Amino acid sequence: MSSGATTATRAEYCVVACAEAWRDAGEVLASPMGTVPMIGARLAKLTFSPDLLLTDGEALLIGDVPAVGAKSEVVEGWLPYRQHLALVATGRRHVMMGASQLDRHGNQNISCIGDWNRPQRQLLGVRGAPINTLNNPTSYWVPRHSTRVFVERVDMVSGVGYDRAAAAGPSASRYHRIPEVISDLGVFDFETPDRTMRLRSLHPGVTVEEVAEATGFALAVPDEVPYTREPTEEELRLIREVVDPKGLREREVPA
C-alpha cells in the first residue's frame, strides 16, 4: 500500500486471505459460510476472479455483487436444494465451511462435542460436510483460533481429512482437496509430505509462538513464515465502501 493509506485491520487481512482461496477459480460456485468468507468471495469476484459464480446465500444465483445484506439486482438463476446437491457432485464448487473442531489431518467436526454415545454438546450435525469434502475443494474459516477448535483428534468426523480419505481409497481421495484453513491468526494448508497442517502465513501482528500456543497439536512450521499479503488500496475501498459498508467484518474479527 502506498504511504498515507489507512492501515488494514485484522478482519481485512482475513477477508483478503479468504478471497485468495478463490483466486483464478474460473466458473465455479463459491459457497462461503460466514461473514468474512462471504466478503472475501465477493471481493474475489470484483477483482481477480470475475468468472466466479455467487449466490444470495439462499437459493438465487446472482450476477451482480451487492453489499452483504443487500438485495441483488441481477438474478441469473435458481438453485434449489436438489440442484445444489447435484452441483456438489460435479465438483464445480469451492466451499468454505466453518469448523467446531479441526485436527492436523484436516478432519472437521460440526456435529457434537464429546463421546458420540453421550455427547456434551449437540451442534449442527454432519450436514453436507462428507459430500463437500469428497467431491469439491473444501476450505475452512475459523474466526477464533484456539485449542478448543484446533484439536489433536476431532470428537466426530463430519468433513473428511487427508488421512481418512487416503485410508478409504481412490473413491474417496480422487477429488478430495482442502486448499486452505484461514483463522484470525493466519493461513494454513496441508502441503507437507504426510499431508498434515502447515502454517503458511501469519497475519501481521501475530507470532509463530502465539499460533503454536493456540493450537492443540504440533504444526508444520517452515523456517521462514511470511505475512499474509496486505490488501491493496482498491481492495480496501471495495471492502469498506462496496461489499461491507456496515463493517460487519469487524464484528466477526474484532480489532
Side-chain angles (χ1 to χ4, degrees), residues 6-17 43 229 231 236 239-240 249-250 253:
T6 303
T7 302
T9 65
R10 177 73 60 83
E12 289 163 343
Y13 279 104
C14 292
V15 166
V16 167
L43 178 65
R229 78 164 179 87
L236 284 177
I239 293 169
R240 296 170 179 178
R249 61 195 180 279
E250 305 297 337
V253 183

Side-chain angles (χ1 to χ4, degrees), residues 229-248:
R229 78 164 179 87
E230 293 188 3
T232 65
E233 289 187 54
E234 175 61 10
E235 285 172 333
L236 284 177
R237 185 191 70 82
L238 290 170
I239 293 169
R240 296 170 179 178
E241 299 178 15
V242 178
V243 182
D244 185 30
K246 294 183 179 179
L248 300 177

Side-chain angles (χ1 to χ4, degrees), residues 184-202:
D184 60 330
L185 298 184
V187 180
F188 308 82
D189 62 25
F190 298 87
E191 300 302 318
T192 57
D194 58 354
R195 288 295 195 178
T196 55
M197 195 180 296
R198 178 186 73 157
L199 175 59
R200 194 168 83 191
S201 73
L202 294 164

